[in-house]
Amino acid sequence: MAALRPQPRFPEPDTEPFWEATKRHELTYQTCNACSEVIFYPRAHCTRCGSRDTTQRVSKGQGMVYTFSVIMQSRHPAFSSLGPYAVAYVDLDEGFRIMSNVMGVADPTKDIRCGMRVKLRWEDQGEGHISLPMFEPA
């Protein structure tokens, strides 16, 4: 088995529910019950009004590439065998932005563009570990 990507450290009260949801292949985000703000990354309060009254929701996992960069070389064991790979900000249709990877392309230097539609795919990190939300062309 390939080396695991770096994992979050628990207990972590703000993000642990998010990471637990990834084990079920659910990409979650929050909305504020006081002002309707979409909140991501996970936290204990609304970023607009400060309310702690939030609801966790599940994204459909569809969006578009806002911007990206191609990593040509990495010495970390979990990334060294990937060759060039794309790190991207993806704007989800629900109104939040996530940093992730765009996978499933032959050449990330040529096959990815800003504005490109993408869909969620999961990369499992092994038995009992989190799964990572990744994206591929839609």
Side-chain angles (χ1 to χ4, degrees), residues 16-103:
E16 197 162 356
F18 171 84
W19 292 116
E20 285 298 316
T22 70
K23 293 177 183 179
R24 300 184 304 272
H25 291 180
E26 293 178 348
L27 177 60
T28 59
Y29 64 101
Q30 297 160 276
T31 56
C32 178
N33 295 325
C35 74
S36 301
E37 178 78 357
V38 175
I39 306 160
F40 190 85
Y41 60 88
R43 59 192 91 200
H45 65 280
C46 175
T47 53
R48 178 188 288 164
C49 73
S51 173
R52 296 178 70 83
D53 183 17
T54 64
T55 299
Q56 187 171 351
R57 302 187 185 281
V58 177
S59 171
K60 292 179 183 174
Q62 300 171 357
M64 74 160 109
V65 174
Y66 172 74
T67 191
F68 70 99
S69 181
V70 176
I71 309 303
M72 301 302 285
Q73 175 180 350
S74 177
R75 293 193 172 117
H76 189 286
F79 301 95
S80 61
S81 65
L82 292 178
Y85 64 94
V87 175
Y89 278 115
V90 174
D91 286 342
L92 278 294
D93 293 348
E94 291 87 359
F96 67 96
R97 181 175 288 160
I98 184 173
M99 180 187 285
S100 185
N101 297 116
V102 176
M103 314 290 281

